[in-house]
Amino acid sequence: MTMSRRQFVGGVAGAGIASIAAPNPVHGQAGEPIRIGLLAAKTGPLASGGIDMDLALTMFLKERENTLGGRKVELIVADTAGVPTTARTKAQELVEKNNVHCIIGPLAAFEALAIADYLTEKQMPTLGVAAAEDMTQRHPSPWFVRLTSTSAQCAYPLAEYSAKELKYKKIVTIADDFAYGHEMCAGFQRAFEDNGGKVIQKIFTPLATPDYGSYVAQVKSADAIFLGTAGSNGFRFLRQFIEYGLKDRMAVIGGMTALDESVLRNMGDEALGVLTTSWYSAELDNPLNKNFASAFRKQFKYDPGYYAASTYVSGEVLEAALKAVNGNVDDKKALMTAIRSSDAQTVRGLVKFDEFGNVIGNVYIRKVAKIDGRLVNSVIKTYPDVTQFWTYDKTAFLQNPVYSRDYPPAKNLEP
């Protein structure tokens, strides 16, 4: 869990030059670089996602010759290890020791919740990746925006699609036992049941589950099982699900990270046909994404997914904001206003924010297919301009509790 530094102030574009020099504690000097802090879980069960976050943001800066808003950029990467206390310690180091001008990340909902109050207190412009619902709902911060999705934001369209178009009546959900999994499954359950379906079983597993056999054995008969997993957990669960012969008896559908591109590269034909939902796919047909996905694939030999796109999009929005303020990162309020006023075209499509700082954007229903010998998340349906409140009344939504294991109540569970 060491702090790595990538110094982007040399004359060679893209050279990741390690630096042990302490950062200048005084902001605003004429030749001073813009310091960006990246919080990413590069070790632990979420490491595959955190590594992709680092790779994509590094690539973004390299493509721009390590310059944004007319100023050189220094990227400082902190490994949170997917641990809330570590995330808070690393955030404090980035702010107080490294004097960063803004932060991108962290990855996990529980990490973001652990540092939210601190970053607000320090008035630190933060471009969030984690999906923790309440950070842009009942407890928004003027210093925080989310460019990805709340935990439930992408689950709503899949829930509606499952009920209305796939005609599923009964679904089992299984998810990692932390905020992201709780909130995603809760949102899915709400929208699915509002469209006439029933969630008959909810299973939550420890984030670092070594063997899913005992959980697979518990799965009740249903039309489909919804995976609310992160990191490599979806891959490992699906493998055992298939070994038990269940994929022939019920469909598999999943949330944003269940079969992320970073997971698909380790899978075989067993993943074919699985439907998932996300705000991104490497197969999105727009010029910015075609360039990004092709370059990422060429450099790293696999497609970018949720995690890689999250930091690349963060870079695109930050770049637009820095242009708007002429690179003046010392006026933090002006920078944050420029970020929140974003109307940027990105690899995911147009990014704009609601009054709470959460992204409004397209959500895609995707199906695992094989193209040119590799597994991809092929887009089969687009839900445009999805908000964090879906079709629900915003005022009524915010008067209810935040989504959890127990809210909304599961009224259709089978014994």
Side-chain angles (χ1 to χ4, degrees):
M1 296 184 290
T2 58
M3 179 86 70
S4 65
R5 300 170 61 83
R6 284 186 176 76
Q7 192 81 18
F8 290 109
V9 294
V12 182
I17 305 171
S19 170
I20 59 173
N24 191 329
V26 181
H27 291 340
Q29 295 184 1
E32 185 184 21
I34 295 172
R35 289 182 291 277
I36 301 173
L38 173 63
L39 291 167
K42 298 184 65 176
T43 53
L46 300 176
S48 62
I51 291 169
D52 275 7
M53 289 169 64
D54 185 4
L55 293 176
L57 187 55
T58 299
M59 189 176 82
F60 174 85
L61 292 170
K62 177 181 178 179
E63 289 171 349
R64 285 146 182 83
E65 298 183 348
N66 315 310
T67 301
L68 299 178
R71 294 172 61 177
K72 289 296 183 179
V73 174
E74 177 186 354
L75 177 63
I76 306 168
V77 183
D79 178 11
T80 65
V83 178
T85 54
T86 304
R88 190 172 180 96
T89 298
K90 295 301 182 182
Q92 290 172 327
E93 289 180 7
L94 288 175
V95 173
E96 299 173 25
K97 177 182 176 182
N98 302 108
N99 297 293
V100 296
H101 297 98
C102 67
I103 283 178
I104 295 174
L107 188 156
F110 52 73
E111 294 178 306
L113 293 169
I115 65 175
D117 58 342
Y118 172 76
L119 296 180
T120 297
E121 175 192 338
K122 295 298 183 180
Q123 299 186 346
M124 177 55 57
T126 304
L127 293 87
V129 169
E133 295 267 320
D134 232 14
M135 291 183 69
T136 56
Q137 291 177 5
R138 296 155 199 81
H139 302 289
S141 166
W143 299 98
F144 177 87
V145 295
R146 185 188 352 254
L147 305 100
T148 52
S149 162
T150 68
S151 304
Q153 192 170 353
C154 292
Y156 296 133
L158 181 60
E160 180 181 281
Y161 186 86
S162 297
K164 287 187 173 181
E165 300 196 31
L166 299 177
K167 308 300 182 183
Y168 293 159
K169 301 298 182 184
K170 294 183 178 182
I171 284 181
V172 172
T173 66
I174 184 166
D176 299 318
D177 195 6
F178 69 109
Y180 175 63
H182 302 162
E183 294 172 357
M184 187 194 309
C185 286
F188 180 89
Q189 173 195 319
R190 181 180 183 182
F192 184 63
E193 295 186 343
D194 284 348
N195 280 281
K198 294 181 179 180
V199 171
I200 64 167
Q201 184 182 25
K202 297 168 71 174
I203 302 171
F204 293 103
T205 59
L207 183 59
T209 298
D211 188 328
Y212 284 94
S214 62
Y215 298 102
V216 172
Q218 298 174 34
V219 175
K220 297 182 181 296
S221 178
D223 295 312
I225 185 167
F226 172 79
L227 303 183
T229 49
S232 60
N233 290 347
F235 157 70
R236 293 188 293 109
F237 173 82
L238 185 57
R239 277 281 171 87
Q240 292 191 263
F241 189 79
I242 293 169
E243 288 173 4
Y244 276 67
L246 294 182
K247 193 168 183 282
D248 296 330
R249 292 163 40 192
M250 58 197 297
V252 178
I253 59 177
M256 296 182 287
T257 54
L259 290 187
D260 182 70
E261 280 82 352
S262 63
V263 174
L264 281 180
R265 63 189 167 117
N266 297 314
M267 300 189 72
D269 288 351
E270 72 274 8
L272 289 172
V274 174
L275 295 182
T276 59
T277 180
S278 185
W279 51 268
Y280 178 75
S281 166
E283 296 299 295
L284 289 183
D285 188 14
N286 69 65
L288 291 174
N289 185 60
K290 285 184 175 180
N291 289 338
F292 165 57
S294 175
F296 191 94
R297 188 184 309 120
K298 181 178 180 180
Q299 186 168 350
F300 304 114
K301 311 308 178 187
Y302 61 95
D303 287 327
Y306 175 103
Y307 306 105
S310 69
T311 50
Y312 201 91
V313 171
S314 297
E316 290 176 305
V317 171
L318 179 59
E319 180 180 36
L322 288 170
K323 287 180 181 177
V325 299
N326 296 314
N328 183 10
V329 288
D330 299 298
D331 189 342
K332 295 192 293 184
K333 289 185 178 179
L335 176 61
M336 203 65 220
T337 297
I339 292 172
R340 281 179 167 257
S341 301
S342 175
D343 203 20
Q345 287 290 347
T346 74
V347 297
R348 69 166 289 178
L350 180 67
V351 165
K352 52 188 175 181
F353 298 105
D354 64 18
E355 64 197 278
F356 301 94
N358 191 71
V359 67
I360 301 170
N362 292 349
V363 170
Y364 307 98
I365 305 299
R366 315 174 306 175
K367 184 176 184 178
V368 178
K370 183 175 284 188
I371 297 178
D372 297 330
R374 72 184 198 282
L375 295 177
V376 302
N377 283 312
S378 179
V379 175
I380 61 173
K381 186 178 179 67
T382 300
Y383 286 80
D385 297 328
V386 175
T387 80
Q388 63 178 327
F389 302 112
W390 186 225
T391 59
Y392 302 114
D393 177 78
K394 176 178 63 178
T395 301
F397 188 106
L398 294 173
Q399 289 174 346
N400 290 322
V402 67
Y403 289 144
S404 66
R405 285 184 61 143
D406 303 314
Y407 184 83
K411 300 178 181 179
N412 297 295
L413 299 184
E414 295 184 356

